[in-house]
Structures are given as structure tokens and as C-alpha cells.
């Protein structure tokens, strides 16, 4: 049997969704709480990594997952760059200008553009961490073949 | 500040954009990334020429629009002054010709799309380093350029390339951490990261032991980055293992943008020029010049020979820099300092052009014959006339034969050393020139003359490689007119003024 | 002051490790020790005695005594860079292991720098 025992598999199945939601919480509260895009992204990547650890590796499936994840990474960093550039064209000519209204401090909908940056940094970091994990696993598989 | 100054963000936004559009575009139109990257680097070159020659004034740009609170700058600032403009011109010139050359050269490698991603990131990093007005931002951009260069050195995935890359990563990583350590200490002392602000704060205090310690740590860090002699271990391996267009960028501009440029900026504009520190820098430069030249004579691998000679030529620049700093620190005649700095800047530009050209030549020899050892070559002049002619011009430039550019810059440094009565350094410059002559005569004789070692189943390099090499040959001639003062005032003098105003850099803050 | 000196000692331990270890993985670990000593140093530099976390919780009194947030931001940025460094180094180490069958740097010596 590939991967770990049935108990670990079932627990991980249940836990991974919870870990994912916790990652989303950290990402979305980045502008009012400690945490943010990077921390939350790492947690998001963790939810996928535990699944692979529990279920074992399938070389060809990994290759495909790596392709898709790097697409995510690519698109999210382009969107981040476009957000930065949008500051230039929102009337003030400042790169990375936060032109939305800041709102009331401490509430969820505040901070102007920062929640959006956090969201895409979260996707970017999650995808990157996952790609690094997949790449290292693929190299290990290739080396042990 | 005026409204057009946002243009300077394009210097790193464009390559970033290109880097991440490349893999997406490659899914739809395979091979399009070659065109995209070349067009992007050309656009950057045009932009640089526009900014340097047409706009000609210092731009201070606050990213994110953070206004200073009182006189304390907050946020990240980009500063474009004479020296930054000069470096930008160098980076984007060599970047463009390397990308152009790579169109044909990279066909034999698989995974070409990642090559273009990495090369765009490296150009973005270098442009960011020279534009940054903030120490930590500079460090981040420097790491960006360094990380992409680590990956590019290992691009062929052969045994020796991986080993060179690992060695480069360990030494480069240690250097980066030393630099970060220095930055931390500076932040501890001054509570600011803005270089103009640090310069302002340090102006009013003497060079105490703390600052001297920070300076020595930073010299070690940037010494590794620019491969001065006791710290040069990684350079010959890394520069000879990379694909040739990348070697041209690494040797032509990366060691200057992330090593010598920051040395100039920090030790002349930010810190007080100190006599002992100047002596350390000049000694490092002199030793690099001499030992690097001796190592180059002994090398038999074409690209290793060029890499060792890079160490030696960079030594000239650093020695000129140290000499000028000594003159400023002693409070002597500013015109003597001006002469050495002109020589150093001019030689830096020249070196990036002719060493870039030489690496492209070595690449085209390797492309045709598949060999890098000079003993296996010979008689290539008959088969590859364009490569032969361009190598001849580049060799004459680096050796310093009069009509070519290398002669004038070396002459300026040596004359400045004699004027300042540093006869030993002047003599060292001449001796190293002679050793370089021997090296490149050896290179020419082994590679292009003598009896052909191959059967003639190969011809001249493909078109794009030829065009790139010929353009750089033309530049080797054209740059020698920079010796005429009227022309020099357009290109070198803005950079020179930045260096000569020393702590005048502290006025380049937003809101002042 | 002792704490700062201890950070420096940790930095030196990292350098010692990089220079003396013969195993690729141990070299990577030593580099990481150097990185972490600088993170500690940065956190110490930004510390203000009795300071709180730099968060504006109550909009009425935003200026309580807080620690300097800038070094913390620097640590986070450097952390990302350190992640890139480590993953690159480990990738190279795996590739080298595949080519040579060993992590010992005395046996990986094709080049003589």
C-alpha cells in the first residue's frame, strides 16, 4: 500500500481542510492581526503538503501538479504587479500607491489595497512553497530511480 | 518632483513583467519568449538613453507616495543621479547584446523558457540595485540578481556546473550575510536605512571604531561580491561554467553592479572617505590586478582565462577608486581625484564592453567546436573570420593598444597615479598591462593561428551571434572618443560629479 | 550588550561550520545558523524596553510605547530570501548527490578555483 496507514489518511483528509481554512483566515486578517500573506501562504501550502505526505507520491501526478501550481504562482505575481502599477495610473503617479480609502482601523474591511495584496501574496507564497516541495520530491524520486 | 519621474520604476517593472509573462506566453506561442525578452531589453536601452541624455537631472522618487515626516524620510526611495544613470547605461547595453546573442546560442539548451525568466530577473535586480536609495532595498535587489545568477551558472546541469554553482552559492551567501550584518549594525547606529539620511547623520560624527568595524565588514562582503583577490575563489568556476551570454553579463556587469557600484556609493557618498579604508581598498585592488593577471597567464581553458583576467581588470578599477579616495581623504587637490575617478569609471565601462565581447567570442568558439581547452584548438582564423576579427579587436582593447578604448582608460589611471606621486601603483599598472599582453597573445596564438586541429565541418556562427559581436566591436572603437573632454562631459561627468560631491549625496532626500 | 555579542558569536559559529564541515547538507545548516544569528540581531536592535507589539488596536490612543517594527519587517523579508537560498542550495545538493553518489566535498572536486 502506498503512503501511510488508513488512520493517518483519514485524519489528514479531515485536518487538511481545517488547515486550509486557517490559512485563509490568516491571509484575510493580515492587515489587522499578526500574520499576513507570507505566513498564511505557508499554512495554505502546508495543507497540500500533508496530503502528499500521507498518501505517498506518484511521480507522474506530481509533474502535472507542479505545472498547475507554477501557473498559479505566475498569474498571482502578475496580478500583484498590476496592482502596483495601478497606483501609477490612479492619478498620483506613485508606484504601489494605496489609493483606496483606508477605512476604520481594526475592522476587516479597511487598509485600502492591502487586503488584496495579502490575498495574492498568500496565493503566490502558497504556490511557491508547494512548488519547492514538489520539486524537491521529484528530484528525490529521480535520484532514487 | 515632477510627474514624469515615475518612468524610473519601469527599469525594474518591465523586466519583472517580462519575466513572468514569458512562461505564460510560451504555453500559447512556443518560442515567443526570445522575441519578448530581446524587445524588452531594447526598450530598456532606449529608456536608459532617454533618461541619461535627455532628462539629465537627479530624480528622487518615493515608492508608494510616502511623504517624509518632518525631516525624517520614511518608505523606500529610488534615486537616479549621475552614477546610477551611468551604471544603468552599462547594464542595459550588455543586457541587450547578451539577450540578442542568446537567440541563436540558447537553441542547443533545453528549458529555454526558464533561461529567459532568470535573465529578466537578473536585469531587474541589477537595475534595482543601482536605482535604490535605501540600503535594505538595495540588499534585496542584490539578492534577486545573485539568486538568478546562481541558477544560471548551473543551467547546463553538468557535474562541473553544479559544483561551481554550489561553491558560488555558499560564498555568495556568506557575503550577502556579511553585508546584511553590516546593514544591521548601521541601522543600530543611525536608526535609518535611507542612504542620504545615513550620510547626513554620519557627517556630523567622526569615524569612530564602530563605523570602522562596519566598513571593514562591508568591504569583506562586497569584496566577495566583486571577487577581489583574497575572496575570488568562486569567480573563475562560476563565470566559466555559465552559458556564454550569461558569462558576459556576470563578468561584464554583475560584479560591477553588485560589488563595485555599491562600494563607490557607500564608501564615497555615504561614509566619510577615510585614509586607512582607502588604503585597504587600493591594496585589495592592486593585489587583485597583479595576482589575477598571473593566474590568467597560466590558464588553458578559454573561459577560465577570461574570468581570471576579469579579476585583474576589476583590480584596476578598484585601485583607481582607492587612489581617488585617498586623495579626497587627505584633502588634496580635487582635480587629481577627478582624474582617477574618470579613469576608474571609464575603465569600468570599457571592461564591461570588451569583456562582454570576449565572452561572446569564447561562446561562439565553443558553439562551433564544442571545445574550451586552448590546446585542442588552432587555426580557427580560417573558418571563423568574424569571430577572429572581433576577438582581435577585443584583445587589443583589453591589452591597451592605442586606437582602442582600453588604452585610454588605463592611461588615465596610470597618469593619475604618477601625478599623485604613487609611483609604485603606476608601475604596477604598467607591469600588469604587460602581463595582460602576454596572456592575450597566448590566447590568440593558441586559438586562431597555427595549424588547424579540426577538420572543417563547421563554419561561422549564426547571424544573431555575428550581429551582436560586430556591434560590440564598433562600440570598442566608438568608446575611445570618450577621451575627448566634450564627449566625456556627456557620459562620464555626471557620474564623476556624483562621486566628487562626496557627502553632497545627503541632500538627495525627498522633500528637500 | 552581552546579547549582541552572543549574536556575533553565533554568526562566527556559522562561519566556522561553513569553513570546516565536509558534508554539503551540514554546510547548508551552517549558513542557516548565520542567517538566524542576524535575525536575532535585528530583533534585538528593534527592541524597546517595555514596548508592545506595533499594532494600532485602539484608534483613540495610537501612540503607546511600541517596539520598532522596521527590523521585524526586515526579518520577514530576509526570511523569504533565506527560504530561496536554502531551497536552491538543497536542490543543488540533491543534484550533486545524483551525479557523484556522495555528499562529501572532498570527493566532489572537478574544478580547482
Amino acid at each position: 500500500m502506498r503512503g501511510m496507514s488508513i488512520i493517518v489518511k483519514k485524519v489528514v483528509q479531515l485536518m487538511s481542510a481545517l488547515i486550509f481554512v486557517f490559512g485563509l483566515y490568516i491571509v484575510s486578517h493580515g492587515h489587522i492581526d499578526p500574520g499576513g500573506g507570507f505566513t498564511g501562504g505557508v499554512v495554505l501550502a502546508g495543507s497540500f503538503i500533508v496530503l502528499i505526505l500521507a498518501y505517498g507520491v506518484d511521480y507522474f501526478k506530481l509533474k502535472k501538479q507542479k505545472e498547475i501550481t507554477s501557473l498559479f504562482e505566475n498569474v498571482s505575481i502578475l496580478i500583484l504587479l498590476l496592482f502596483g502599477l495601478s497606483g501609477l495610473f490612479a492619478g498620483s503617479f506613485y508606484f504601489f500607491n494605496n489609493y483606496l480609502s483606508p477605512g476604520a482601523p481594526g475592522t476587516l474591511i479597511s487598509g485600502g489595497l492591502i487586503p488584496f495584496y495579502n490575498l495574492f501574496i498568500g496565493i503566490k507564497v502558497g504556490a511557491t512553497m508547494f512548488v519547492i516541495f514538489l520539486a524537491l520530491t521529484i528530484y528525490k524520486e529521480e535520484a532514487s530511480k | 518632483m515632477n510627474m514624469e519621474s515615475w518612468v524610473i520604476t519601469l527599469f525594474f517593472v518591465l523586466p519583472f513583467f517580462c519575466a513572468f509573462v514569458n512562461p505564460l506566453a510560451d504555453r500559447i506561442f512556443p518560442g515567443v519568449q526570445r522575441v519578448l525578452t530581446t524587445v524588452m531589453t531594447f526598450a530598456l536601452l532606449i529608456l536608459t538613453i532617454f533618461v541619461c541624455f535627455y532628462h539629465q537631472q537627479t530624480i528622487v522618487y518615493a515608492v508608494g507616495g510616502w511623504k517624509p515626516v518632518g525631516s525624517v524620510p520614511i518608505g523606500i526611495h529610488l534615486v537616479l543621479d549621475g552614477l546610477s544613470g551611468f551604471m544603468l547605461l552599462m547594464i542595459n547595453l550588455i543586457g541587450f547584446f547578451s539577450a540578442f546573442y542568446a537567440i541563436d546560442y540558447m537553441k542547443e539548451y533545453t528549458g529555454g523558457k526558464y533561461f529567459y525568466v532568470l535573465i529578466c530577473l537578473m536585469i531587474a535586480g541589477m537595475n534595482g540595485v543601482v536605482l535604490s536609495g535605501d540600503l535594505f532595498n538595495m540588499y534585496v535587489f542584490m539578492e534577486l540578481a545573485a539568486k538568478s545568477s546562481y541558477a544560471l551558472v548551473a543551467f547546463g546541469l553538468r557535474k562541473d556546473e553544479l559544483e561551481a554553482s554550489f561553491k558560488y552559492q555558499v560564498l555568495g551567501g556568506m557575503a550577502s550575510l556579511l553585508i546584511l550584518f553590516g546593514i544591521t549594525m548601521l541601522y543600530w547606529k543611525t536608526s535609518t536605512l535611507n542612504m542620504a539620511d545615513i550620510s547626513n547623520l554620519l557627517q556630523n560624527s567622526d569615524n569612530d571604531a564602530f563605523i570602522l568595524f562596519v566598513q571593514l565588514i562591508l568591504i569583506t562582503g562586497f569584496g566577495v561580491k566583486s571577487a577581489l583577490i583574497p575572496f575570488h575563489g568562486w569567480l573563475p568556476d562560476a563565470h566559466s561554467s555559465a552559458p556564454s551570454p550569461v558569462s558576459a553579463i556576470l563578468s561584464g556587469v554583475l560584479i560591477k553592479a553588485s560589488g563595485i557600484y555599491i562600494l563607490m556609493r557607500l564608501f564615497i557618498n555615504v561614509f566619510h572617505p577615510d585614509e586607512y579604508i582607502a588604503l585597504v581598498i587600493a591594496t585589495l585592488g592592486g593585489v587583485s590586478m597583479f595576482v589575477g593577471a598571473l593566474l590568467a597567464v597560466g590558464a588553458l581553458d578559454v573561459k577560465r582565462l577570461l574570468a581570471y583576467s576579469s579579476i585583474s581588470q576589476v583590480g584596476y578599477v578598484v585601485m583607481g577608486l582607492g587612489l581617488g579616495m585617498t586623495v579626497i581623504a587627505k584633502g588634496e587637490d580635487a582635480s587629481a581625484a577627478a582624474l582617477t575617478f574618470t579613469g576608474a569609471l571609464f575603465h569600468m565601462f570599457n571592461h564591461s564592453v570588451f569583456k562582454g565581447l570576449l565572452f561572446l567570442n569564447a561562446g561562439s568558439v565553443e558553439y562551433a567546436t564544442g571545445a574550451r581547452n586552448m590546446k585542442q584548438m588552432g587555426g580557427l582564423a580560417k573558418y571563423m573570420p568574424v569571430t577572429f576579427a572581433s576577438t582581435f579587436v577585443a584583445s587589443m582593447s583589453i591589452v591597451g593598444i592605442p586606437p582602442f578604448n582600453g588604452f585610454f582608460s588605463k592611461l588615465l589611471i596610470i597618469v593619475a597615479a604618477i601625478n599623485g606621486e604613487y609611483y609604485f601603483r603606476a608601475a604596477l599598472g604598467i607591469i600588469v598591462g604587460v602581463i595582460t599582453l602576454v596572456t592575450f597573445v597566448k590566447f590568440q596564438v593558441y586559438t586562431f593561428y597555427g595549424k588547424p586541429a579540426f577538420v572543417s565541418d563547421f563554419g561561422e556562427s549564426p547571424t544573431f551571434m555575428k550581429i551582436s559581436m560586430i556591434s560590440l566591436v564598433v562600440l570598442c572603437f566608438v568608446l575611445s572618443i570618450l577621451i575627448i573632454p566634450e564627449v566625456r562631459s556627456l557620459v562620464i561627468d555626471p557620474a564623476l560629479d556624483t562621486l566628487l560631491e562626496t557627502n553632497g549625496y545627503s541632500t538627495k532626500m525627498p522633500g528637500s | 550588550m552581552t546579547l549582541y555579542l552572543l549574536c556575533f558569536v553565533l554568526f562566527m559559529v556559522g562561519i566556522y561550520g561553513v569553513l570546516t564541515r565536509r558534508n554539503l547538507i551540514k554546510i547548508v545548516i551552517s549558513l542557516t545558523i548565520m542567517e538566524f544569528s542576524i535575525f536575532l540581531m535585528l530583533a534585538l536592535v528593534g527592541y524597546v524596553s517595555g514596548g508592545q507589539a506595533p499594532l494600532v488596536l485602539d484608534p483613540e490612543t495610537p501612540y503607546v510605547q511600541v517596539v520598532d517594527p522596521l527590523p521585524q519587517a526586515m526579518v520577514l523579508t530576509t526570511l523569504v530570501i533565506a527560504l530561496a537560498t536554502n531551497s536552491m542550495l538543497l536542490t543543488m545538493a540533491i543534484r550533486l548527490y545524483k551525479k557523484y553518489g556522495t555528499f562529501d566535498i572532498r570527493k566532489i572536486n572537478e574544478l580547482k578555483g
Side-chain angles (χ1 to χ4, degrees):
Chain A
M1 193 174 87
R2 298 185 68 85
M4 299 186 186
S5 70
I6 186 86
I7 303 173
V8 179
K9 278 184 182 174
K10 264 297 159 213
V11 171
V12 161
Q13 234 176 17
L14 295 172
M15 285 300 291
S16 120
L18 283 179
I19 296 173
F20 191 81
V21 172
F22 182 61
L24 280 184
Y25 168 79
I26 293 182
V27 169
S28 60
H29 286 66
H31 54 298
I32 47 176
D33 273 352
F38 182 73
T39 330
V42 175
V43 177
L44 286 180
S47 72
F48 292 104
I49 290 173
V50 283
L51 277 177
I52 288 192
L53 286 180
Y55 279 81
V57 284
D58 178 2
Y59 182 70
F60 293 104
K61 219 170 153 188
L62 284 186
K63 282 260 182 194
K64 206 178 163 196
Q65 275 169 337
K66 188 169 158 243
E67 281 286 300
I68 297 168
T69 323
S70 32
L71 186 67
F72 262 91
E73 191 190 344
N74 235 315
V75 171
S76 61
I77 198 157
L78 275 179
I79 293 174
L80 269 175
L81 206 57
L82 286 178
F83 268 125
L85 278 178
S86 73
L88 281 180
F89 303 114
S92 62
F93 298 102
Y94 286 114
F95 188 56
F96 274 120
N97 189 21
N98 191 350
Y99 50 85
L100 292 183
S101 94
T107 54
L108 187 57
I109 302 172
S110 65
L113 269 181
I114 292 180
F116 296 99
Y117 283 129
N118 267 337
L119 177 62
F120 287 102
I121 288 172
I123 298 174
K124 157 82 185 141
V125 172
T128 311
M129 296 292 285
F130 194 45
V131 163
I132 289 172
F133 175 76
L134 288 176
L136 287 176
T137 324
I138 288 172
Y139 292 149
K140 194 208 134 215
E141 289 288 298
E142 279 174 356
S144 63
K145 254 181 196 172
Chain B
M1 69 180 252
N2 54 31
M3 282 303 131
E4 304 96 69
S5 62
W6 62 271
V7 167
I8 67 170
T9 57
L10 288 181
F11 280 111
F12 50 88
V13 171
L14 266 184
F16 266 135
F17 207 78
C18 188
F20 295 105
V21 163
N22 269 340
L24 291 182
D26 189 67
R27 279 166 198 262
I28 306 164
F29 311 105
V32 75
Q33 78 278 51
R34 294 199 194 103
V35 185
L36 260 177
T37 310
T38 316
V39 169
M40 187 277 299
T41 43
F42 187 65
L44 279 182
L45 186 59
I46 298 290
L47 198 65
T48 317
I49 291 168
F50 164 74
V51 167
C52 294
F53 296 111
Y54 179 71
H55 203 69
Q56 272 201 347
Q57 50 179 314
T58 305
I59 298 174
V60 182
Y61 180 84
V63 178
W66 292 97
K67 299 272 184 307
V69 179
S71 66
V72 183
I74 56 173
I76 293 170
H77 298 121
L78 305 177
V79 180
L80 183 116
D81 56 9
L83 186 57
S84 310
F86 182 73
M87 295 299 296
L88 278 178
L89 188 62
M90 222 165 86
I91 292 166
N92 293 316
L93 195 71
I94 302 300
F96 169 64
F97 283 117
S98 298
F100 200 72
Y101 180 91
I103 293 178
D104 276 328
Y105 186 83
M106 291 311 288
K107 274 182 184 157
E108 59 179 295
Y109 285 82
T110 54
K113 65 177 170 182
Y114 301 113
F115 173 79
Y116 284 102
V117 172
L118 289 168
I119 216 161
C120 286
L121 285 178
M122 193 154 87
I123 290 173
M126 288 188 295
N127 281 342
V129 166
V130 296
L131 279 177
S132 175
D134 176 288
L135 268 181
F136 190 70
N137 194 34
M138 181 186 268
Y139 167 79
V140 172
F141 274 119
M142 197 179 76
E143 282 297 275
L144 178 65
K147 291 288 174 306
S148 5
S149 70
Y150 300 155
L152 281 170
V153 166
F155 202 75
L157 289 180
R158 285 196 298 267
K159 265 185 175 181
D160 51 340
E161 287 160 354
L162 287 170
E163 191 192 330
S165 174
F166 196 87
K167 195 189 265 178
Y168 182 20
Q169 281 184 57
V170 171
L171 283 171
M174 280 172 76
S176 301
L177 291 171
L178 278 171
I179 292 165
L180 185 61
F181 192 67
I183 293 174
T184 312
M185 302 273 275
L186 264 184
Y187 182 78
W188 189 18
K189 175 92 175 171
T190 60
S191 297
T192 178
L193 288 170
N194 189 302
M195 291 199 291
D197 205 18
I198 292 176
S199 170
N200 205 6
L201 288 167
L202 292 184
Q203 226 168 9
N204 304 321
S205 65
D206 285 334
N207 272 334
D208 55 7
F210 188 87
I211 294 293
L212 281 179
F213 179 61
V214 172
Q215 281 175 320
L216 284 177
I217 282 186
L218 287 174
I219 285 182
T220 318
F222 292 119
V224 179
K225 288 275 176 193
S226 51
L228 301 177
I229 235 24
F231 320 116
H232 70 290
W234 58 272
L235 185 134
D237 294 344
H239 287 197
S240 59
S241 297
S244 287
V246 178
S247 303
I249 298 186
L250 287 182
S251 216
V253 285
L254 184 74
I255 52 174
K256 303 193 183 74
S258 70
I260 296 170
Y261 162 77
I262 312 183
L263 271 183
M264 283 183 176
R265 182 62 95 201
L266 284 181
F267 286 88
I268 296 173
N269 284 157
V270 176
F271 297 117
H272 282 296
D274 183 285
E275 209 177 311
Y276 298 105
I277 295 291
L279 186 66
V280 170
I281 290 179
T283 313
L284 280 176
V287 172
S288 310
M289 254 163 81
F290 190 62
V291 182
L294 286 184
L295 287 170
V297 173
L300 274 176
D301 184 322
V302 181
K303 288 176 84 175
R304 276 182 100 76
L305 181 143
L306 297 178
Y308 279 126
S309 113
S310 270
I311 299 177
S312 152
Q313 300 299 315
V314 160
Y316 269 104
V317 180
V318 176
M319 196 189 74
L321 179 68
L323 216 84
M325 276 176 70
T326 318
V327 172
I328 288 183
K330 282 186 178 166
E332 286 171 11
D333 188 10
S335 67
L339 197 59
T340 26
F341 284 148
T342 313
L345 291 168
F346 191 13
H347 196 66
M348 189 154 77
F349 201 163
N350 287 341
H351 178 249
S352 72
V353 170
F354 54 61
K355 190 47 67 65
L357 177 54
L358 278 168
F359 267 114
L360 297 186
N361 293 145
S364 104
V365 169
E366 198 190 346
Y367 186 85
T369 65
R372 268 173 32 189
N373 194 323
M374 280 191 276
K375 290 220 158 157
Q376 296 168 10
M377 298 174 189
L380 288 180
K382 211 167 96 189
Y383 303 115
M384 310 176 76
V386 174
T387 312
F388 167 62
S390 62
T391 316
F392 183 75
V393 171
S395 304
M396 291 302 106
S397 289
I398 197 171
V399 168
I401 303 291
F404 300 103
N405 56 4
F407 169 72
F408 297 108
S409 47
K410 283 189 187 178
L411 187 71
L412 278 178
I413 294 178
I414 292 167
V415 165
I418 292 173
N419 276 358
E421 298 183 347
Y422 297 101
Y423 296 116
F424 178 67
R425 294 177 198 181
L428 197 62
I430 294 166
I431 292 167
V432 172
V434 174
I435 302 175
T436 316
L437 178 67
V438 176
T439 315
F440 280 87
V441 165
K442 176 189 154 197
F443 173 49
Q444 291 279 320
V445 168
Y446 269 122
T447 317
F448 292 104
Y449 295 96
K451 117 170 153 273
F454 296 95
V455 282
S456 60
D457 60 343
F458 57 86
E460 185 54 77
S461 343
T463 325
F464 286 106
M465 285 159 74
K466 261 193 287 193
I467 294 174
S468 193
M469 289 190 295
I470 292 169
S471 318
L472 282 172
V473 165
V474 172
L475 266 179
C476 273
F477 281 109
V478 169
L479 279 179
S480 49
I481 63 166
L482 279 180
I483 195 70
I484 304 166
E486 284 77 23
V487 187
R488 203 163 62 202
S489 69
L490 268 178
V491 184
I492 296 183
D493 280 6
L496 183 64
D497 292 341
T498 315
L499 288 180
L500 284 181
E501 70 185 358
T502 57
N503 283 88
Y505 184 74
S506 60
T507 56
K508 287 170 188 163
M509 271 197 281
S512 60
Chain C
M1 197 60 206
T2 325
L3 286 173
Y4 294 100
L5 282 180
L6 282 177
C7 283
F8 194 65
V9 170
L10 195 59
F11 191 77
M12 287 302 170
V13 169
I15 289 185
Y16 175 79
V18 172
L19 295 181
T20 55
R21 294 300 99 183
R22 302 278 179 222
N23 188 314
L24 293 183
I25 303 293
K26 285 184 182 166
I27 291 177
V28 180
I29 293 173
S30 307
L31 266 179
T32 317
I33 291 175
M34 284 169 76
E35 269 155 17
F36 282 17
S37 76
I38 295 177
F39 296 164
L40 282 174
M41 180 91 179
L42 274 168
L44 274 178
V45 165
Y47 181 69
V48 175
S49 183
Q52 294 173 2
L55 285 173
V56 181
L57 294 174
D58 185 10
E60 260 76 62
T61 54
Y63 297 109
V64 290
Q65 191 176 30
V66 293
V67 297
D68 188 355
L70 187 60
Q72 301 182 0
M74 284 162 75
V75 170
L76 277 177
T77 315
T78 320
L79 207 62
V80 181
I81 295 172
L83 171 74
T85 317
N86 282 347
S87 48
M88 280 278 290
L89 277 166
L90 289 175
T91 314
M92 296 291 164
I94 292 176
R95 290 276 188 175
L96 277 171
Y97 185 78
K98 200 176 147 193
K99 301 270 182 202
Y100 288 88
T102 176
F103 280 128
D104 192 337
I105 54 168
R106 279 167 298 190
K107 299 201 176 71
I108 303 173
N109 52 2
E110 293 265 307
L111 297 168
K112 289 172 184 65

